[in-house]
Amino acid sequence: MNLYNVVSVEEAKRIIDSNFQLNLESELVDIKECNGRILSRDIISSSNIPGFKRSMVDGYAVKFKDLQGASESMPSILNLRGEVKMGEMPVESLEFPGECIYIPTGGMLPKEADSVIMIEYTDKMDDATILANKSISFGENVLNEDEDVELGESVLKRGTLFSPYSVGMMSNLGITQIPVFCKPRVGIISTGDEIVAPEKQPRPGEIRDINSYLIYSSVIEDGGQPILYGVIKDNYKTLFETVKKALDECDIVLVSGGSSVGKKDETAKVIEELGNPGMLFHGISIKPGKPTILGRVKDKPIFGLPGHPLSCAVVYGILVRYVLHTMMNLQEIEYPIPCKFSTNYHKAKGREEYLPVIIDNMEGEYTAVPVLTKSATISGFTKAWGYIKIDKNVEGISENQKVYVYKF
């Protein structure tokens, strides 16, 4: 295989789709632990919800016809028959025209009642007489027995990312053991003679390990289980044994550093040596992030990510996250923010570029301002709100041109 015979992002994703059966097992977790997890099967309602007609307001349950033509100047006079108590079946019903029953918000609608008038539109003459000052329509202020959820309705789809609202729906359905995908185990390996642990004081020529912790946090955010294998020096045998161990224990392996072309860059050699088919591509046509490797060993994806933090983060966001989401069947929809661009910006044709930006609100209009930084730095990257994607066939962006900003 020719090194740096680069592929596009779209080609890289097609290679991923055609080479891996990215399926995870499912497990049951307690409802209190499912927020942020991915649903592994469709949830079908076994009942109507709320299951009975209930009032949406504090007021009086009535027959709507009894209030037709009612106004402040000519109110309808209603006989009060009693009240509905929360959590109980109504004792009273509307037996004759012109009757009403007090009902609190959430109370069960009495028999023969079809609507509720808000208490704000009534006056109480005495303990037995209510004046209604407003006409209402049929079914007004009433939630029907299947208006929230219908029997047999598909409430949540496989691949749903649980939020507090979907957790609340599970409680509403009476489901407390939630089927979710197991968290994909992601092995993280940093390589390089110059890399030291963050708690150590670097000597001249050394730098602290950024990528391990950047990736570790990203994997957690994406619903995975990160496993750190430490910093491996540029030694083929040590790297080989570490990658082999990670492949035995994990669903996907990420090797940071060692993906560019050079005599000490061993990641590609390790992937080729560990098994067929080995490397699937070496290089993608993006900036930053060109020196990226994808291999297949034991039917598992192994990435060689660039060592520079910005490049590493971009490739993770484009391809590794794609793999993780595919594993969990997560269908994520991005909603970019339209902005105007703050300046003229030139890029070379042929590579898709991901440019970090901050967003300013200038004169009531969002403006994307580029954070100009080198791929080896992280300070500018941390200041950015998101990024814009510049097509590989475009040579740049003009000042005031409309762009779309994606959140990191």
Side-chain angles (χ1 to χ4, degrees):
M1 177 180 290
N2 293 325
L3 299 182
Y4 284 174
N5 183 15
V6 298
V7 299
S8 68
V9 172
E10 293 73 19
E11 288 171 325
K13 290 180 177 180
R14 283 196 294 269
I15 291 170
I16 290 169
D17 292 340
S18 62
N19 276 275
F20 301 101
Q21 296 295 321
L22 299 171
N23 297 315
L24 289 172
E25 294 182 356
S26 180
E27 63 179 340
L28 291 175
V29 298
D30 186 85
I31 188 172
K32 298 187 292 296
E33 307 299 326
C34 71
N35 189 43
R37 300 294 295 272
I38 311 296
L39 185 64
S40 61
R41 64 172 175 82
D42 292 353
I43 299 296
I44 308 299
S45 175
S46 60
S47 62
N48 290 323
I49 296 178
F52 59 89
K53 290 186 178 182
R54 61 189 301 191
S55 176
M56 298 170 64
V57 298
D58 290 338
Y60 295 93
V62 296
K63 296 178 179 179
F64 89 102
K65 290 182 178 179
D66 290 339
L67 275 65
Q68 297 309 291
S71 65
E72 291 186 0
S73 60
M74 189 175 293
S76 293
I77 301 173
L78 302 172
N79 296 321
L80 181 61
R81 285 187 55 85
E83 67 177 278
V84 173
K85 295 189 176 178
M86 290 297 294
E88 297 182 9
M89 291 273 293
V91 176
E92 304 289 345
S93 63
L94 303 183
E95 299 179 359
F96 301 101
E99 293 180 335
C100 69
I101 297 173
Y102 173 77
I103 187 169
T105 302
M108 185 174 182
L109 202 68
K111 289 182 180 179
E112 305 303 328
D114 56 37
S115 310
V116 176
I117 183 171
M118 294 176 66
I119 200 166
E120 290 87 342
Y121 298 116
T122 65
D123 293 305
K124 192 171 184 180
M125 292 293 294
D126 53 46
D127 289 344
T129 308
I130 302 296
L131 298 182
N133 305 317
K134 180 178 178 291
S135 294
I136 61 173
S137 58
F138 179 83
E140 189 165 329
N141 298 319
V142 173
L143 189 70
N144 290 320
E145 60 268 22
D146 61 354
E147 199 162 335
D148 191 1
V149 178
E150 291 185 16
L151 171 66
E153 179 182 344
S154 179
V155 180
L156 293 175
K157 294 289 188 182
R158 179 175 183 264
T160 296
L161 173 65
F162 272 102
S163 69
Y165 309 106
S166 45
V167 174
M169 176 55 77
M170 291 293 94
S171 177
N172 194 23
L173 294 169
I175 302 174
T176 59
Q177 293 296 304
I178 314 300
V180 297
F181 286 108
C182 295
K183 291 184 177 182
R185 298 178 302 278
V186 182
I188 302 168
I189 303 168
S190 264
T191 67
D193 290 337
E194 77 283 12
I195 306 297
V196 298
E199 64 270 15
K200 292 186 177 180
Q201 180 62 41
R203 296 177 299 184
E206 294 181 334
I207 58 172
R208 290 189 175 99
D209 182 13
I210 296 172
N211 289 354
S212 288
Y213 300 94
L214 187 157
I215 297 170
Y216 189 97
S217 301
S218 298
V219 169
I220 290 175
E221 189 173 66
D222 289 321
Q225 178 184 342
I227 302 172
L228 287 177
Y229 288 87
V231 177
I232 307 301
K233 300 301 182 181
D234 290 321
N235 177 279
Y236 177 82
K237 182 178 179 181
T238 306
L239 181 60
F240 180 92
E241 293 300 327
T242 306
V243 172
K244 185 174 183 295
K245 176 178 170 60
L247 281 166
D248 289 338
E249 298 174 346
C250 300
D251 300 298
I252 176 175
V253 175
L254 310 178
V255 182
S256 168
S259 63
S260 59
V261 179
K263 66 178 181 179
K264 297 190 74 176
D265 296 324
E266 308 286 7
T267 303
K269 300 175 188 176
V270 167
I271 292 173
E272 293 285 76
E273 183 68 23
L274 278 168
N276 291 322
M279 272 202 307
L280 300 176
F281 63 75
H282 190 173
I284 50 177
S285 56
I286 62 171
K287 178 184 177 183
K290 180 181 178 182
T292 296
I293 297 171
L294 174 65
R296 190 180 92 193
V297 179
K298 298 181 179 179
D299 291 325
K300 296 178 180 180
I302 174 170
F303 280 92
L305 301 177
H308 290 160
L310 178 56
S311 301
C312 178
V314 168
V315 175
Y316 177 93
I318 296 169
L319 292 183
V320 179
R321 181 172 290 130
Y322 175 78
V323 170
L324 292 174
H325 287 184
T326 301
M327 282 181 167
M328 296 180 283
N329 201 51
L330 177 61
Q331 306 298 320
E332 188 174 53
I333 302 175
E334 294 183 299
Y335 297 98
I337 296 178
C339 302
K340 68 177 183 180
F341 201 63
S342 66
T343 187
N344 293 318
Y345 180 80
H346 175 76
K347 67 171 277 290
K349 290 181 69 175
R351 279 202 286 172
E352 193 169 272
E353 182 168 346
Y354 293 77
L355 180 66
V357 297
I358 60 175
I359 295 179
D360 279 346
N361 191 350
M362 299 179 179
E363 300 178 353
E365 185 174 12
Y366 289 126
T367 300
V369 181
V371 179
L372 302 176
T373 182
K374 296 181 180 179
S375 60
T377 64
I378 194 169
S379 58
F381 185 47
T382 58
K383 297 173 185 176
W385 183 89
Y387 65 91
I388 60 173
K389 183 167 64 174
I390 309 175
D391 187 84
K392 64 182 180 181
N393 296 319
V394 174
E395 293 187 355
I397 305 174
S398 302
E399 184 179 359
N400 294 323
Q401 182 177 335
K402 185 177 182 180
V403 295
Y404 291 92
V405 180
Y406 296 84
K407 186 170 177 57
F408 277 126

